[in-house]
Amino acid sequence: MKHLSLEALRSFSAVIELGSMTLAGERMGRSQPAISLQLKKLEQQLGVELLTRQGSGFALTADGDVLFDYAQRMLALNDQAWAQFEPQQVSGKVRLGITSEFASSLLPKVLGQFAQVYPQVTLQVTSALSKDLLSGLGQQFDIILALREQTNKSDVLIQREELVWVGLPGLLEQPGWPMVVAPEGCIYRRRAEQSLQRAHQPYRITYTNTDFSGLTAALNSGLGITVLAKSTVPKDIPILESFSDNKPLPNPGSVNVIMRLAGGASSAASQLADYLKARI
């Protein structure tokens, strides 16, 4: 009887979600060549091409898109089955503090899956800027998922995130770039301004908003460009890689995605922390 490896499907899903075989390998605890081999075996088994190269990342083929949908459902069912037969069902309330851009990408996917696997756990999610989550406000949460430029001993490093420029390409031709940003203290804003200043590129702030949906609406409306973590860029917003003459844009670098788990955290909070670490 033919069957698909759940481990291979999880690796395949990780590559799509992270856009990188190297990062997928780090999540899965495997080498990049091992991840590549798993994907090649999946393609050979199914007789189709699943991925194509797109810039520095990957894009799904039509067949890959179909398999990705099946993989998400199969993995969710697997996790639900394991949870069903755990000796003691996890329950309780978990207070999660998360940056709004990660909330936008995680809530409909990872947190939705967690809620299905652990229906007895109540999630209380609050979105805020990283600087606020990591200050006194952070004491209100069981788990914090935020961005930091430097980690400390209380941080669990989840991954390094490449920062990219996003927005409508035509705006790069303006002598002073219009910028859509969060308020002062935002890492994205600081990195954007620092990289522009190093490159002696003039810019002006045209729109400020703390809410990620407000920023994405401004980007779609052509009010300006900004810097975001690559994995959080909405599908309908272009990633800007170079000027029209192929000259590279100022490099905003990368940041750390970190997690903090409160001392004396409940089993429900610990379970969510493990779930997030395995899927981000």
Side-chain angles (χ1 to χ4, degrees):
M1 180 179 293
K2 297 179 180 179
H3 68 277
L4 295 171
S5 163
L6 286 177
E7 184 179 9
L9 290 177
R10 204 175 290 280
S11 295
F12 170 64
S13 295
V15 169
I16 302 308
E17 291 165 2
L18 298 173
S20 162
M21 289 195 186
T22 300
L23 293 177
E26 291 176 2
R27 174 190 289 185
M28 299 294 297
R30 302 176 69 89
S31 66
Q32 183 272 331
I35 297 294
S36 179
L37 182 60
Q38 283 186 316
L39 267 59
K40 285 181 181 178
K41 286 184 176 179
L42 270 179
E43 290 182 323
Q44 292 170 357
Q45 192 173 13
L46 296 171
V48 298
E49 187 179 22
L50 299 174
L51 299 171
T52 58
R53 282 281 184 182
Q54 188 176 71
S56 58
F58 297 91
L60 285 168
T61 63
D63 290 316
D65 192 49
V66 171
L67 181 64
F68 184 60
D69 180 61
Y70 277 117
Q72 295 294 90
R73 287 185 279 162
M74 291 169 69
L75 293 171
L77 282 173
N78 175 77
D79 294 343
Q80 290 174 38
W82 275 109
Q84 183 65 38
F85 293 99
E86 285 183 338
Q88 181 178 3
Q89 287 202 341
V90 177
S91 62
K93 182 173 75 172
V94 180
R95 301 164 301 168
L96 173 64
I98 186 171
T99 59
S100 58
E101 70 275 16
F102 280 99
S104 296
S105 59
L106 285 177
L107 282 173
K109 184 172 57 179
V110 178
L111 295 183
Q113 292 172 3
F114 180 85
Q116 292 178 356
V117 175
Y118 300 100
Q120 302 302 316
V121 176
T122 301
L123 296 177
Q124 181 180 309
V125 182
T126 300
S127 297
L129 293 176
S130 293
K131 71 179 184 66
D132 295 325
L133 293 172
L134 296 169
S135 65
L137 179 62
Q139 299 173 7
Q140 303 175 17
F141 303 110
D142 301 302
I143 303 173
I144 292 172
L145 193 66
L147 300 176
R148 292 203 69 163
E149 295 184 283
Q150 301 292 332
T151 60
N152 62 34
K153 61 182 180 181
S154 61
D155 299 334
V156 176
L157 178 62
I158 302 298
Q159 66 184 36
R160 291 281 295 174
E161 273 281 354
E162 178 187 358
L163 298 180
V164 294
W165 291 98
V166 296
L168 302 184
L171 298 176
L172 296 178
E173 306 308 319
Q174 296 189 16
W177 286 2
M179 295 289 296
V180 169
V181 294
E184 290 283 357
C186 171
I187 289 179
Y188 296 140
R189 175 173 178 164
R190 182 163 60 250
R191 286 299 189 85
E193 292 188 300
Q194 288 174 348
S195 64
L196 292 175
Q197 290 163 5
R198 286 195 300 268
H200 305 291
Q201 169 63 50
Y203 67 94
R204 65 189 191 280
I205 305 299
T206 56
Y207 182 88
T208 304
N209 197 319
T210 58
D211 182 64
F212 187 66
S213 61
L215 291 174
T216 54
L219 291 167
N220 279 321
S221 298
L223 292 180
I225 63 176
T226 197
V227 162
L228 290 175
K230 189 173 184 178
S231 70
T232 68
V233 178
K235 291 183 179 180
D236 58 343
I237 296 179
I239 293 178
L240 307 173
E241 297 184 345
S242 63
F243 292 98
S244 57
D245 61 359
N246 292 324
K247 178 183 176 182
L249 300 181
N251 182 10
S254 60
V255 295
N256 299 313
V257 181
I258 64 98
M259 178 184 292
R260 282 188 184 176
L261 185 63
S266 66
S267 60
S270 297
Q271 193 68 50
L272 176 59
D274 290 341
Y275 202 86
L276 289 172
K277 282 186 285 186
R279 288 160 178 80
I280 297 177

